[in-house]
Amino acid sequence: MTRLATDNLALIKSATLSEDLAQQLSNAIVQGHLAQGSKISEAELAKQYGVSRGPLREAIVKLEGLGLVTRTANVGARVIELNLKDMLDTFTMREALEGMAARLAAETMTQNEVTRLYALLDQHQSHLDNNQDEQYMQQGGNDDFHLRIIHASQNTKLIRLLTEELYAIIRMYRRHTSDQRSDPRQALREHRAILDAIANHEGDLAELLMRRHISRASQLLKQAMEKTGLASH
Amino acid sequence: MTRLATDNLALIKSATLSEDLAQQLSNAIVQGHLAQGSKISEAELAKQYGVSRGPLREAIVKLEGLGLVTRTANVGARVIELNLKDMLDTFTMREALEGMAARLAAETMTQNEVTRLYALLDQHQSHLDNNQDEQYMQQGGNDDFHLRIIHASQNTKLIRLLTEELYAIIRMYRRHTSDQRSDPRQALREHRAILDAIANHEGDLAELLMRRHISRASQLLKQAMEKTGLASH
DNA sequence: TCAAGTAATATTGTCGACAATTTTAAGATT
DNA sequence: AATCTTAAAATTGTCGACAATATTACTTGA
């Protein structure tokens, strides 16, 4: 097997080139190495990754399906452009879907899993108290809790849509606006309230609280975007 | 009924072969010309449609993104298999998303559009009273109302997901179970109640009623599937 | 007869070349 | 100088061929 590709590609090593490329490009977009709105040149990227245009095109089509790029016939693909309306639309969908996930979790989550989630929140609490690793809490920590709830829904399609599509885009918005204005302690309080509702099997309440929680996050992001000037579009 | 493949292709004529193929294949799957679970042979289909494997593969990748086929590396693509769990998962998502759409519609729908929707329901009513065109009411008519609500949400991402992905799969389930047990008069009553809530700008109520409406449809489909024996999987 | 191994076949994955279209550059006309 | 034409270049779309992998058919040995 030839290892002529760039170092990046050698690390992943999946069954097919096109899968690897899709993963690579997705990461590059979410992490901002491919800027929003920038053109995706097939020839250029193919040379860069050391592959032919065939699998690269397949990867691009996949990314279009994930909503990370837009394609126009005979013109090409571009990374999506971030704007306020799309962000709000995305969060509205997230609100509906993750609210439903919280409801389902409240109906089916086992006592064992509930206990483990409380432990996770305690861990977040101590992180905050010790003022350590603040960046983790801001981003990964928050997502950890949400992802656990989402998976607890046991709804395969819901899980896939939220984790593989929406969260990628949400992370783009968060990174791009360098969203520092969220209050992690407030978020943690809301997480506890949601988990309490789930532990008590109160589906209605869990959904309501999850929705409010996400709606607040959306409003904060909106303010951040308006100050960043990204709201124009 | 089944026209020769090449003729169909000539009729559509989009900018790119791969787009046409994706459309053709999507229709073939939803209408059952490609049976659930059946293998999608690249060589065979390419010959059948008179194109090379390149654009055909692109179309297949698109269909995978739409959730109509599943692909495994080095093995190939198959039309998705219908089963009870996936149906229920899909309808749960639909419940969350279309409930949200009804809420949004209640907030923003203009008086003009409300009037037009009442007219549509009156039309459905007379169709039922005259016992004509029952098939239309059963399928297209019902969808007409839902699609209008969905578009009224003005949430681009919500609209795309529901109309381009979920509804295709929902139609597959309906067709496959030859879902005759739904009561169109009951459905029409529920549509009226939903529209009343929207007309009064009662978002909470509109969402609640839409959810119940979809939940009922889901339960009916479930019963139909259990009698059809499709529930086994 | 069955199982395991192996060769033959078929199918998918990848590549490079050509065709069609768009974008850029240059030139002509006013 | 600005605008419209036209030619050149670059980019995407499509094709056929080959490589890699999976599936089938066959053989062998117990």
Side-chain angles (χ1 to χ4, degrees):
Chain A
M1 166 158 293
T2 50
R3 177 73 57 110
L4 47 85
T6 58
D7 307 295
N8 279 339
L9 211 71
L11 293 180
I12 305 279
K13 194 68 174 302
S14 163
T16 167
L17 268 183
S18 134
E19 284 177 31
D20 289 345
L21 288 169
Q23 191 64 45
Q24 290 288 120
L25 290 178
S26 169
N27 287 344
I29 290 173
V30 172
Q31 295 172 216
H33 299 133
L34 285 175
Q36 60 152 325
S38 66
K39 178 131 200 328
I40 295 187
S41 162
E42 295 184 2
E44 185 181 330
L45 277 183
K47 196 173 65 179
Q48 190 171 327
Y49 286 104
V51 300
S52 81
R53 280 176 52 222
L56 182 61
R57 276 177 71 90
E58 246 187 63
I60 293 176
V61 173
K62 280 181 194 161
L63 292 190
E64 186 187 25
L66 294 176
L68 291 179
V69 310
T70 58
R71 282 183 359 135
T72 44
N74 294 313
V75 172
R78 309 194 81 91
V79 179
I80 57 167
E81 308 239 13
L82 304 184
N83 62 67
L84 186 56
K85 165 87 162 64
D86 267 18
M87 187 280 280
L88 293 174
D89 281 0
T90 301
F91 268 76
T92 297
M93 277 191 56
R94 186 189 167 197
E95 199 177 312
L97 293 171
E98 224 173 305
M100 178 61 82
R103 169 185 294 271
L104 297 173
E107 292 170 1
T108 66
M109 197 182 261
T110 68
Q111 183 57 45
N112 201 322
E113 179 69 2
V114 168
T115 306
R116 291 222 302 275
L117 258 183
Y118 271 118
L120 178 69
L121 292 188
D122 287 343
Q123 183 185 330
H124 289 172
Q125 181 73 57
S126 72
H127 273 209
L128 282 177
D129 292 344
N130 300 344
N131 215 17
Q132 49 172 254
D133 215 352
E134 183 159 342
Q135 192 61 13
Y136 161 78
M137 258 314 296
Q138 208 80 356
Q139 314 238 358
N142 184 69
D143 283 1
D144 268 356
F145 177 77
H146 284 270
L147 292 177
R148 297 275 278 274
I149 305 284
I150 290 167
H151 280 100
S153 77
Q154 294 180 314
N155 184 319
T156 316
K157 295 179 171 267
L158 195 67
I159 293 169
R160 206 201 66 80
L161 179 61
L162 278 168
T163 62
E164 290 180 25
E165 295 198 26
L166 287 190
Y167 266 64
I169 292 174
I170 288 168
R171 290 198 180 100
M172 283 182 72
Y173 277 105
R174 279 210 293 246
R175 181 184 46 69
H176 191 279
T177 55
S178 59
D179 171 29
Q180 300 299 3
R181 84 191 57 248
S182 77
D183 178 354
R185 291 177 192 282
Q186 170 67 13
L188 183 53
R189 276 192 295 273
E190 293 175 7
H191 285 180
R192 273 196 198 283
I194 292 169
L195 185 52
D196 287 344
I198 290 175
N200 293 331
H201 301 295
E202 299 180 285
D204 286 345
L205 184 58
E207 176 169 19
L208 175 74
L209 292 176
M210 180 61 88
R211 280 216 199 174
R212 277 195 197 163
H213 177 58
I214 292 171
S215 177
R216 281 207 187 94
S218 168
Q219 289 307 309
L220 290 174
L221 242 188
K222 181 184 176 193
Q223 291 170 19
M225 285 179 74
E226 280 164 347
K227 299 210 173 171
T228 317
L230 209 94
S232 47
H233 295 252
Chain B
M1 189 64 180
T2 47
R3 202 180 278 118
L4 204 57
T6 50
D7 289 324
N8 277 339
L9 210 72
L11 292 180
I12 305 281
K13 198 64 176 305
S14 163
T16 169
L17 268 183
S18 134
E19 282 177 33
D20 290 345
L21 289 170
Q23 191 65 45
Q24 288 289 121
L25 291 178
S26 170
N27 288 344
I29 291 174
V30 173
Q31 295 172 218
H33 299 135
L34 285 176
Q36 61 150 326
S38 65
K39 178 130 202 324
I40 296 186
S41 161
E42 295 183 3
E44 187 182 328
L45 277 183
K47 196 173 68 179
Q48 192 171 327
Y49 285 105
V51 300
S52 79
R53 280 175 53 219
L56 182 60
R57 276 177 71 89
E58 247 187 64
I60 292 176
V61 172
K62 279 181 194 159
L63 293 190
E64 186 187 26
L66 294 177
L68 291 179
V69 310
T70 58
R71 281 183 359 133
T72 43
N74 293 314
V75 172
R78 308 192 82 92
V79 179
I80 57 168
E81 308 239 13
L82 305 183
N83 62 67
L84 186 55
K85 165 84 162 66
D86 267 18
M87 187 279 280
L88 292 174
D89 281 1
T90 301
F91 269 75
T92 297
M93 274 191 59
R94 186 189 167 197
E95 199 179 312
L97 293 172
E98 223 173 305
M100 177 62 82
R103 170 185 294 272
L104 296 173
E107 292 170 2
T108 67
M109 199 183 259
T110 68
Q111 183 57 45
N112 202 320
E113 178 69 3
V114 168
T115 306
R116 291 222 303 275
L117 258 183
Y118 272 118
L120 178 69
L121 292 188
D122 287 343
Q123 184 184 330
H124 289 172
Q125 180 73 56
S126 73
H127 273 208
L128 282 177
D129 291 344
N130 300 345
N131 214 15
Q132 52 174 251
D133 216 352
E134 183 161 341
Q135 192 61 13
Y136 161 77
M137 258 313 296
Q138 207 82 356
Q139 315 236 359
N142 184 69
D143 283 1
D144 269 357
F145 178 77
H146 285 271
L147 291 177
R148 296 275 276 274
I149 306 285
I150 291 167
H151 281 100
S153 76
Q154 294 180 314
N155 183 320
T156 316
K157 295 179 171 265
L158 195 66
I159 294 168
R160 206 200 66 80
L161 178 60
L162 277 168
T163 62
E164 290 179 25
E165 295 197 27
L166 287 189
Y167 266 63
I169 292 174
I170 287 168
R171 289 196 180 101
M172 284 182 71
Y173 277 105
R174 279 210 292 246
R175 181 185 46 69
H176 191 278
T177 56
S178 60
D179 171 29
Q180 300 298 3
R181 83 194 57 247
S182 77
D183 178 354
R185 291 176 193 281
Q186 170 66 13
L188 183 53
R189 276 193 294 273
E190 293 174 6
H191 286 180
R192 271 196 201 286
I194 292 168
L195 185 51
D196 287 344
I198 290 175
N200 293 331
H201 302 295
E202 297 178 285
D204 287 344
L205 183 58
E207 176 170 19
L208 175 73
L209 292 176
M210 179 62 88
R211 280 215 199 176
R212 276 194 198 165
H213 177 59
I214 292 171
S215 177
R216 282 208 185 93
S218 168
Q219 289 306 309
L220 289 174
L221 242 189
K222 180 186 175 191
Q223 291 170 19
M225 286 180 72
E226 280 163 350
K227 300 210 173 173
T228 315
L230 208 94
S232 47
H233 295 252

